[in-house]
Amino acid sequence: MSEIIDADQWDRQKRIRGWDQSAIENSRCLVVGAGALGNEVVKNLLQLGVAEIVVVDYDRVVAANLNRCVLFTPQDALDGGQFKARAVARGAKGINPTARVAAVVKRAEELPEGLFLNFDFCFSCLDNLGARLHLNAHCYGKCALIDGGTFGFNGKVQVVKGGSACLECGVSRRDYAAMWGRYSCTGEKLEFLDPKFPAIATATSFTAAVQANEFVKIAMKSNLPEEMNPLNGRPLSSRKERKFEALEDNLVGKYLFFNGLTNSASVFEVPKRPKCPVHG
Ligand SMILES: [Zn+2]
């Protein structure tokens, strides 16, 4: 009996009450950005059992990526560097050979708007605000967007789903000024203004873990019939149970900020901006 149990790759997670492996397996996931966060998010999705992932990145691997990119090898950084998306797709086979991981070598801005209708979840694993806002606008109302970002010891995760507040709702004038400072007046990217941010594997792992954890809760919740207790899968019977909202306690319309130096974490509501360019 124990041999049968141990032969099931997903046995231990299925022991979580209310777990629905099919909700995970059937979720169509798009990961945009195959850098540190993208590597870690893909690794997490594969270990959870997601069967189909598309990874997008236009860039190539350099040695400076290797301190925090779990699926890259030192060989990927040689001879001009392997494309990051392809290196992730190859590394994925070592974690779950049966999953289908496709690599798309493109910038986030080059993805056609209709593409997002093909996915349930889009993981934004990008290092610049311009590309994230582009993704945010294209995902809005089509698929859930789980955005992650890191800076040194800090991590931040925001989730946008349905008609919730979006990434652009929380963008300040200062953010816009910093963003446009990276482009020339013709819209061309100014590489000399492309700063390299401090980044460590610990903050990457934490942030990507929160992104994947939010995915789990939302995927499970989306799969539950109305009025079902997510803990035991039975119909809600009491008023107290109806108030139980474990899976409601996600980051949709909110963001989590974690400071790894002080070990402080806070969740903030993002007010929905009435004149937001995406949905206002
Ligand atoms: Zn908005």
Side-chain angles (χ1 to χ4, degrees):
M1 185 62 183
S2 73
E3 280 171 26
I4 295 169
I5 289 169
D6 285 345
D8 179 359
Q9 188 175 351
W10 319 115
D11 175 76
R12 301 303 188 264
Q13 62 201 39
K14 284 179 185 169
R15 288 165 186 271
I16 295 174
R17 280 199 292 175
W19 188 269
D20 181 355
Q21 188 62 29
S22 69
I24 299 295
E25 281 174 17
N26 298 331
S27 293
R28 299 164 303 168
C29 294
L30 177 68
V31 178
V32 183
L37 278 178
N39 267 255
E40 197 73 23
V41 163
V42 168
K43 182 266 287 174
N44 288 337
L45 296 181
L46 291 166
Q47 287 183 324
L48 286 162
V50 172
E52 214 172 303
I53 304 172
V54 175
V55 186
V56 179
D57 203 305
Y58 72 96
D59 209 357
R60 291 176 183 269
V61 178
V62 294
N65 301 137
L66 300 176
N67 75 328
R68 61 199 188 284
C69 293
V70 69
L71 300 173
F72 294 167
T73 65
Q75 285 71 34
D76 290 328
L78 300 177
D79 304 323
Q82 170 66 271
F83 281 112
K84 288 180 177 177
R86 289 182 189 159
V88 165
R90 184 219 55 227
K93 297 216 177 304
I95 296 176
N96 185 356
T98 59
R100 291 182 300 280
V101 180
V104 175
V105 180
K106 277 186 192 302
R107 288 178 183 273
E109 294 89 334
E110 292 170 338
L111 298 174
E113 201 171 338
L115 174 89
F116 297 88
L117 287 167
N118 299 328
F119 295 92
D120 304 304
F121 293 89
C122 174
F123 295 82
S124 161
C125 302
L126 297 158
D127 63 355
N128 76 86
L129 184 59
R132 290 158 99 157
L133 291 184
H134 181 87
L135 212 54
N136 172 63
H138 276 25
C139 286
Y140 200 83
K142 299 189 189 80
C143 65
L145 175 70
I146 305 184
D147 177 72
T150 68
F151 188 90
F153 281 94
N154 300 338
K156 184 187 163 198
V157 176
Q158 181 174 341
V159 182
V160 181
K161 185 173 185 291
S164 79
C166 74
L167 294 193
E168 191 135 2
C169 286
V171 172
S172 66
R173 281 188 189 176
R174 213 178 75 178
D175 294 330
Y176 281 124
M179 180 176 80
W180 291 116
R182 298 180 65 189
Y183 294 87
S184 73
C185 50
T186 59
E188 226 166 293
K189 204 172 173 195
L190 299 171
E191 295 299 337
F192 63 89
L193 282 173
D194 195 4
K196 301 298 179 194
F197 300 112
I200 53 171
T202 52
T204 300
S205 301
F206 171 80
T207 306
V210 174
Q211 285 180 278
N213 202 51
E214 288 304 298
F215 154 70
V216 168
K217 290 188 288 182
I218 295 166
M220 299 269 175
K221 183 174 181 289
S222 306
N223 228 30
L224 282 174
E226 288 289 310
E227 302 292 291
M228 183 177 271
N229 183 333
L231 275 189
N232 57 23
R234 296 198 192 104
L236 292 175
S237 52
S238 68
R239 207 176 148 170
K240 192 178 167 196
E241 269 197 316
R242 280 170 200 280
K243 280 191 167 179
F244 180 73
E245 294 183 334
L247 297 183
E248 296 287 352
D249 202 4
N250 53 47
L251 292 174
V252 174
K254 297 175 228 169
Y255 71 87
L256 177 142
F257 180 83
F258 177 76
N259 182 329
L261 275 182
T262 60
N263 284 328
S264 56
S266 305
V267 173
F268 300 90
E269 291 271 350
V270 182
K272 200 168 171 182
R273 187 150 50 120
K275 289 187 179 168
C276 174
V278 175
H279 49 77

